[in-house]
Amino acid sequence: MNKRLEDWINWILIDELKSGIINAPKHLLGNHDYGDGQVIMVYRPHAEKVCVVSPTGKNRDEMECLSDGVYGFYSAKKKYKGTKYRIETTYQDGTTVVTADAYAFDSQITEFDTYLFAEGKHYDVYEKFGAHPMTIDGVKGTYFAVWAPHARRVSVVGDFNMWDGALNPMQMMQTSGIYELFIPDVAPGAVYKYQILTRDGEILYKADPYGNQCQVRPDNANVVADLTGYKWKDTDWIENRKQQTRETELKKPMAIYECHLGSWKKKIEDSDFGFYTYRELAKMLCDYVKKMGYTHVELMGIAEYPFDGSWGYQVTNYYAPTSRYGSPEDFMYFVDHMHENGIGVILDWVPAHFPRDAHGLGRFDGMPLYEHPDPRRGEHPDWGTYIFDFGRNEVSNFLTANALFWVEKFHVDALRVDAVASMLYLDYGKQDGQWLPNKDGGNENYDAIDLLRKINTVMEERNPGAFLIAEESTAWAGVTAPASMKGLGFLYKWNMGWMNDFLEYMKMDPYFRSFNHNRLTFSLSYTYAENYVLVISHDEVVHLKCSMLNKMPGVEMDKFANLRTAYGFMYGHPGKKLLFMGQEFGQLREWSEARSLDWFLLDQPLHKKMQKWVADLNHMYTTYDACYYNDNNQMGFEWTKVDDANTSIIAFVRRGKTVKDQLLFVCNFVPVERKDYWIGVPCLTEYEEIINSDAKIYGGSGTKNGKVKAFEEKCDRMPYAISIDIAPLSMMVFRYDYVDKKQAVVDAPATAAIEKKPEPKKATTAKKSTAAKKPTAKKAAVAKTSTENKSVEKKTTK
């Protein structure tokens, strides 16, 4: 053995290398200066001969075998500089492999990177961790980095090294717990995992927490992916998004189509792999959403998950779009195509908990890492999942960067945060003895509160116009208040209270609705406390809850009439809108992730007409700013009939940003027809019916009101009245321009006109409304004009 080589060798490191426990292989392997010369060391088990060669092949030096598989070379001069050499290995079967030396390359993670990560403030950490194809010193390969501070040793394993953990052990960076390695010749498409040797001697095979692509389940390894190659075409969309603020977003329409891509439509039914791709779905879904008048799609279950039945809410790979529908680039195309067609994209995001799958985040390096170490804080007993350790900086960084990742890498417009309530309360879903109070003895999770504020704040600072929506079902105050005002900082919150009350009301036999009138009206007592999205989500049409149509009482015609009225009221109520796929055409069966929606129902007239009803509601909603502009301002809503529980008829006014095109909504929730029925109205003008759920085009009997003129008679809460015909179980909308008593149209902003009127009263304090009355002959003569009912589709956008 060369004397200089023998003097340089650290036999302890060689023993660690051969024993598979080395965590700093670059201290032994690679290119090292030694005095005026150099030492090059490699590990090539089963090699017959190993040589160091120059990239051009001009220089060649055979290496000395120092121990089984360990080869060394000493040169008195620095013959091979840095990474400018190759290792030529001839194996016992006669094959020869020439490659650059993985251990000659410097780390791509800086000390500043490790400092920011430890502080929980490395918001671009996904650019460093994971698997990143790159070229270093002219050598193509993939750079791997992972955080595993409790591991004894971490190796990259895959098809490229026969899944042998001894061949590519990673280098641990000082005390940060970060392991890294650049492996030459590993290209996009390579399959890999991390092999982790725990301190207890157990060997784990883990998926990459920051990996960007996975195999199609049931396989669960990662796939090396390049996220830099896609050429985006949505520049105008993104630039416009950057100009938005919290205030401008709140004044825009938002009609959301909640969608599970795998079961919206399937290419092959009864197949676990019969999905359309992201690119195929982009065209089909976009065309449908545009035709139906929605402004956004909300996608369930996009981050990779192993079990179809979890719908994507038990995530194993937070940085990888599910491979069920294609590659990450395919998903980029999906978002890009939506933006090109004016459709926003919302993703469901699950930072509350994660599953126990062996290849996932749980006990990642043999000990609790991403989850809280105390099971009273770190486990959901009912769900069988782990809870993130929200107070640990590196975990906080993982989640914060992940929220930014979907917005910045995939141009997603918003994240709907799942199960926020479970994050806020330490005792959520737990019995006494199963949870640990906070430092003040309460049940508030201070770490989760701080994290949610941080994510919302950072998102708003880095990506103006992108926002987060909370699925939060409790009375927690300030969910949508800015973090600067000690709120959580979300832009919107799902209105679960409205959904529960309203669905309970609609499921009742109409006979009992008069005794439960408060379920219909109570939501207006708190609707301005938060910025709400009204939702009828997937959770309401599964697990024996029935589809929306089958929740409705009565025979078939009554069910459809009830559902049309329900959707009509929803679109009139303050708050943005969300409807789960299939409910727009009256899906009969409960939703299942395993099959397509029942599109064949559109061959039946009532289902086709229901679809048209929802499309026209969307077009009305986006056409008239009275439906959305003042969702969060009391001036935007006023009851005109609220406390007539006996008739179960309600009416209210919605106002936009001007006195023009204000809307009067009238809903009848019982199967009783009302002829010449008086409704109080705010001004003495003409009211034009623009939509009526009883129109024949929607499956009704054809009741019409056309244009009706108000007359001077106090009615209900209002100084004037109109007389209309109201069909059983129906909803209608009248358009009017606000005028003063002298019939002069006021073109000033609506606030100026409304300031002259008293503040709207609460529904609970309103006086009993006037019962239906027949107007006098003189008044009846001017009360109503019979003209054809006008479809909203004929109304052009202002």
Side-chain angles (χ1 to χ4, degrees):
M1 181 184 299
N2 183 288
K3 182 66 171 61
R4 296 286 288 170
L5 193 59
E6 184 177 14
D7 292 342
W8 184 88
I9 290 173
N10 184 326
W11 290 102
I12 295 177
L13 289 180
I14 288 181
D15 288 342
E16 287 187 354
L17 175 67
K18 295 173 66 176
S19 300
I21 61 174
I22 193 167
N23 60 14
K26 287 185 180 180
H27 292 173
L28 173 67
L29 305 177
N31 188 355
H32 304 272
D33 289 342
Y34 187 37
D36 294 332
Q38 68 181 148
V39 170
I40 296 176
M41 299 281 291
V42 299
Y43 183 49
R44 294 292 188 274
H46 313 298
E48 186 74 20
K49 178 182 177 182
V50 181
C51 296
V52 182
V53 298
S54 61
T56 62
K58 182 178 180 180
N59 297 319
R60 176 185 302 272
D61 294 283
E62 184 171 347
M63 303 185 75
E64 185 175 348
C65 183
L66 309 177
S67 181
D68 291 342
V70 181
Y71 291 81
F73 166 74
Y74 171 76
S75 172
K77 299 186 295 182
K78 293 183 174 63
K79 190 174 184 180
Y80 302 99
K81 295 182 179 179
T83 62
K84 304 300 183 182
Y85 65 94
R86 301 292 181 265
I87 302 298
E88 181 185 88
T89 306
T90 302
Y91 290 97
Q92 295 170 0
D93 62 359
T95 59
T96 299
V97 177
V98 179
T99 182
D101 185 357
Y103 297 94
F105 293 86
D106 291 334
S107 170
Q108 301 299 299
I109 296 176
T110 66
E111 290 186 8
F112 189 56
D113 289 325
T114 61
Y115 167 77
L116 287 178
F117 181 61
E119 291 290 306
K121 297 177 180 179
H122 198 325
Y123 303 136
D124 298 314
V125 69
Y126 53 79
E127 302 280 13
K128 296 288 187 172
F129 289 6
H132 298 279
M134 62 179 63
T135 300
I136 303 177
D137 294 342
V139 177
K140 292 183 178 180
T142 298
Y143 186 77
F144 297 89
V146 66
W147 178 57
H150 304 122
R152 181 65 183 86
R153 185 262 300 160
V154 180
S155 295
V156 184
V157 294
D159 293 337
F160 46 84
N161 61 14
M162 299 169 290
W163 298 88
D164 187 346
L167 298 183
N168 290 121
M170 303 176 77
Q171 176 78 10
M172 186 174 74
M173 299 185 63
Q174 299 177 355
T175 59
S176 65
I178 299 171
Y179 286 81
E180 60 82 30
L181 187 66
F182 176 74
I183 305 181
D185 304 321
V186 174
V191 176
Y192 74 98
K193 276 188 176 182
Y194 293 119
Q195 186 193 78
I196 297 176
L197 176 66
T198 71
R199 295 190 181 276
D200 294 332
E202 183 181 5
I203 292 180
L204 307 176
Y205 288 86
K206 289 289 188 175
D208 188 347
Y210 290 86
N212 298 136
Q213 187 174 352
C214 300
Q215 292 179 298
V216 180
R217 51 88 178 107
D219 294 328
N220 53 38
N222 285 98
V223 178
V224 175
D226 185 358
L227 301 187
T228 63
Y230 184 77
K231 304 301 181 185
W232 289 91
K233 297 180 285 294
D234 64 349
T235 304
D236 291 344
W237 175 279
I238 297 300
E239 287 303 314
N240 179 66
R241 191 176 76 184
K242 290 178 181 178
Q243 307 308 312
Q244 305 306 311
T245 64
R246 290 179 69 91
E247 291 71 25
T248 60
E249 285 289 348
L250 292 172
K251 294 186 178 299
K252 293 165 61 177
M254 182 182 292
I256 304 169
Y257 189 63
E258 187 187 26
C259 185
H260 178 267
L261 291 180
S263 59
W264 182 70
K265 284 184 180 179
K266 289 191 73 171
K267 184 182 294 187
I268 305 172
E269 295 290 350
D270 302 320
S271 169
D272 291 338
F273 302 92
F275 304 118
Y276 284 103
T277 67
Y278 288 119
R279 290 176 183 265
E280 292 169 328
L281 286 164
K283 179 70 166 64
M284 293 188 297
L285 183 59
C286 182
D287 289 348
Y288 183 74
V289 167
K290 285 180 67 177
K291 174 186 173 183
M292 290 298 296
Y294 290 99
T295 63
H296 293 73
V297 291
E298 180 174 319
L299 303 180
M300 298 167 56
I302 293 300
E304 190 62 83
Y305 58 101
F307 176 50
D308 288 8
S310 78
W311 311 332
Y313 296 109
Q314 295 201 12
V315 179
T316 50
N317 297 85
Y318 277 78
Y319 285 81
T322 179
S323 55
R324 287 167 174 82
Y325 320 123
S327 69
E329 189 170 286
D330 293 334
F331 183 60
M332 290 177 176
Y333 176 88
F334 177 94
V335 177
D336 203 13
H337 187 76
M338 288 293 175
H339 286 173
E340 284 188 280
N341 287 272
I343 305 298
V345 179
I346 302 170
L347 291 193
D348 281 3
W349 186 55
V350 194
H353 64 125
F354 57 91
R356 297 171 179 263
D357 295 72
H359 69 285
L361 297 176
R363 304 296 192 263
F364 184 77
D365 54 6
M367 297 178 67
L369 185 64
Y370 288 91
E371 67 272 37
H372 197 285
D374 190 321
R376 293 172 294 176
R377 290 274 180 91
E379 297 181 18
H380 269 303
D382 289 344
W383 298 347
T385 54
Y386 289 124
I387 302 172
F388 281 105
D389 187 355
F390 302 115
R392 185 165 189 170
N393 285 345
E394 295 90 345
V395 176
S396 167
N397 201 140
F398 173 83
L399 292 171
T400 304
N402 186 240
L404 297 169
F405 168 80
W406 291 107
V407 172
E408 296 175 359
K409 282 294 186 181
F410 289 92
H411 292 201
V412 165
D413 300 291
L415 300 174
R416 197 278 295 185
V417 184
D418 183 69
V420 171
S422 73
M423 299 175 67
L424 296 176
Y425 297 96
L426 294 167
D427 59 347
Y428 186 93
K430 299 179 181 179
Q431 304 298 320
D432 290 345
Q434 292 181 329
W435 64 283
L436 189 67
N438 61 34
K439 62 182 181 181
D440 298 317
N443 66 346
E444 301 89 354
N445 191 331
Y446 293 154
D447 291 334
I449 294 167
D450 290 342
L451 174 61
L452 291 172
R453 286 173 175 162
K454 173 184 176 182
I455 292 173
N456 281 296
T457 299
V458 174
M459 182 66 75
E460 192 168 352
E461 289 174 351
R462 286 176 57 121
N463 300 283
F467 55 87
L468 281 79
I469 304 168
E471 184 209 19
E472 206 285 317
S473 55
T474 74
W476 188 281
V479 172
T480 58
S484 59
M485 299 174 61
K486 298 186 177 180
L488 296 182
F490 290 94
L491 186 60
Y492 293 107
K493 169 181 173 175
W494 274 19
N495 196 336
M496 311 291 280
W498 171 86
M499 179 182 68
N500 291 328
D501 287 346
F502 182 58
L503 292 183
E504 286 300 315
Y505 179 86
M506 292 306 304
K507 287 189 292 186
M508 292 177 185
D509 187 299
Y511 177 83
F512 299 103
R513 288 177 181 171
S514 62
F515 307 110
N516 292 271
H517 198 63
N518 63 309
R519 288 185 180 271
L520 196 64
T521 60
F522 177 68
S523 59
L524 267 299
S525 67
Y526 62 81
T527 196
Y528 303 112
E530 303 278 5
N531 307 325
Y532 284 114
V533 179
L534 305 184
V535 295
I536 300 179
S537 70
H538 65 275
D539 281 325
E540 305 313 308
V541 294
V542 291
H543 301 322
L544 303 180
K545 292 182 181 178
C546 297
S547 66
M548 281 299 294
L549 188 64
N550 279 328
K551 291 181 194 291
M552 302 297 110
V555 298
E556 183 182 51
M557 293 295 291
D558 291 335
K559 287 180 179 290
F560 278 95
N562 264 294
L563 190 55
R564 290 195 301 270
T565 305
Y567 290 161
F569 175 73
M570 174 184 177
Y571 273 75
H573 192 290
K576 311 309 180 186
K577 322 299 177 190
L578 178 145
L579 196 62
F580 181 58
M581 66 180 194
Q583 305 317 312
E584 76 277 11
F585 59 80
Q587 172 92 2
L588 284 173
R589 294 188 291 180
E590 288 183 335
W591 169 65
S592 169
E593 80 284 347
R595 62 172 183 257
S596 298
L597 295 179
D598 294 339
W599 294 103
F600 56 83
L601 291 174
L602 291 174
D603 293 333
Q604 301 180 24
L606 284 176
H607 291 275
K608 186 70 174 177
K609 291 176 179 180
M610 175 62 74
Q611 185 189 49
K612 178 170 177 53
W613 170 243
V614 174
D616 284 358
L617 283 176
N618 278 326
H619 288 300
M620 177 194 72
Y621 173 73
T622 55
T623 297
Y624 293 97
D625 66 10
C627 293
Y628 58 82
Y629 189 82
N630 288 310
D631 274 338
N632 306 95
N633 191 325
Q634 290 186 8
M635 64 167 282
F637 179 94
E638 185 176 8
W639 289 111
T640 65
K641 179 182 284 291
V642 62
D643 52 3
D644 193 355
N646 291 330
T647 64
S648 294
I649 290 178
I650 62 168
F652 52 88
V653 165
R654 294 301 309 274
R655 303 185 180 94
K657 59 184 175 182
T658 72
V659 296
K660 292 183 176 295
D661 291 330
Q662 297 185 6
L663 301 180
L664 171 69
F665 287 76
V666 181
C667 301
N668 179 12
F669 290 97
V670 294
V672 178
E673 183 180 25
R674 306 287 180 177
K675 288 283 190 179
D676 294 329
Y677 193 86
W678 283 23
I679 296 291
V681 292
C683 59
L684 198 61
T685 188
E686 186 174 73
Y687 293 77
E688 177 188 9
E689 186 180 76
I690 59 171
I691 195 168
N692 189 326
S693 68
D694 194 55
K696 290 184 178 180
I697 57 173
Y698 306 130
S701 63
T703 302
K704 304 173 185 176
N705 285 286
K707 295 181 180 179
V708 295
K709 292 183 179 179
F711 48 88
E712 293 193 61
E713 185 75 30
K714 289 184 178 181
C715 181
D716 303 315
R717 305 159 59 87
M718 297 287 108
Y720 310 105
I722 58 173
S723 178
I724 58 176
D725 293 338
I726 304 177
L729 295 172
S730 66
M731 170 270 187
M732 64 209 73
V733 182
F734 296 85
R735 189 209 67 80
Y736 67 96
D737 296 334
Y738 185 85
V739 297
D740 62 16
K741 190 173 182 179
K742 297 179 180 179
Q743 304 290 304
V745 177
V746 181
D747 290 324
T751 50
I754 295 162
E755 283 171 359
K756 299 176 183 178
K757 298 180 62 59
E759 192 72 18
K761 297 179 182 178
K762 301 275 183 153
T764 53
T765 62
K767 296 180 181 179
K768 187 175 181 181
S769 61
T770 307
K773 298 184 288 185
K774 189 173 182 63
T776 63
K778 180 179 178 181
K779 290 168 182 170
V782 296
K784 187 171 55 145
T785 306
S786 180
T787 58
E788 290 294 320
N789 181 62
K790 296 183 178 179
S791 169
V792 171
E793 286 188 332
K794 296 178 182 178
K795 170 83 179 166
T796 56
T797 304
K798 297 175 293 192

